[in-house]
Amino acid sequence: SAGDDTFTSDVFVSTMKGPGFQITARFFDYVHGYATAGGHDTAYLYGSSADDLVAARQAQTVVSGGSTYRRGKAFDAVFALLDQGGNDAAVIYDSAGDDVLNVIGRDVTMQYPTSRVEIRSVATLLALSSSGNDVKSVVAPLLEMELAGRWQ
């Protein structure tokens, strides 16, 4: 909608809600949420008890694991919450602009020019920087991490 919408998706239930509406889907293995009509839209994508993989880009974030696939596309903020167990991994890609990567413990945040992705409770991280003036801040990391590319 043109208002502030929230998309929440876990292995059992996915819900998109905003001013005056709520849509819920139950027991789908593949779920896609899109934010295309304005407002400040937020997605919460939950991991499973299996080994999950988060693939995060400025335009979309995907959480997949076990037999499920959850995608949030074009959201202003995405939270990938992986505290359900498993040996979870994340790959985070930079944008064409200037990005800021923050790693604290097992939590990762990528601030893009027009959006933000937060990944919580990840065990392994690959962060790729290919363009722009990308900056990293790493404080007391508790995860296996590889920073590839042009990080400052």
Side-chain angles (χ1 to χ4, degrees):
S1 75
D4 298 343
D5 301 327
T6 302
F7 176 61
T8 305
S9 185
D10 65 31
V11 296
F12 301 112
V13 179
S14 298
T15 302
M16 177 72 84
K17 64 181 173 179
F21 79 95
Q22 178 171 318
I23 301 168
T24 300
R26 298 181 192 280
F27 306 112
F28 283 86
D29 291 336
Y30 294 85
V31 179
H32 303 262
Y34 295 87
T36 60
H40 183 80
D41 301 324
T42 305
Y44 297 90
L45 307 175
Y46 291 86
S48 68
S49 60
D51 295 345
D52 294 309
L53 174 63
V54 176
R57 292 177 166 82
Q58 180 175 2
Q60 72 175 12
T61 299
V62 172
V63 176
S64 58
S67 63
T68 63
Y69 178 98
R70 292 167 299 292
R71 178 171 78 156
K73 186 163 182 167
F75 285 87
D76 300 297
V78 176
F79 296 88
L81 308 168
L82 304 176
D83 54 1
Q84 290 73 27
N87 187 25
D88 303 322
V91 179
I92 194 161
Y93 299 86
D94 71 331
S95 71
D98 299 340
D99 308 308
V100 178
L101 175 73
N102 289 298
V103 177
I104 300 174
R106 291 182 58 167
D107 298 337
V108 177
T109 302
M110 178 71 107
Q111 181 65 54
Y112 295 106
T114 60
S115 64
R116 181 179 83 248
V117 173
E118 293 189 25
I119 304 168
R120 305 266 172 87
S121 299
V122 68
T124 305
L125 171 68
L126 171 59
L128 303 167
S129 170
S130 62
S131 62
N133 294 312
D134 297 333
V135 177
K136 69 178 181 317
S137 171
V138 178
V139 178
L142 299 173
L143 51 83
E144 184 179 324
M145 178 174 49
E146 180 181 348
L147 302 175
R150 311 162 38 120
W151 295 104
Q152 297 179 26

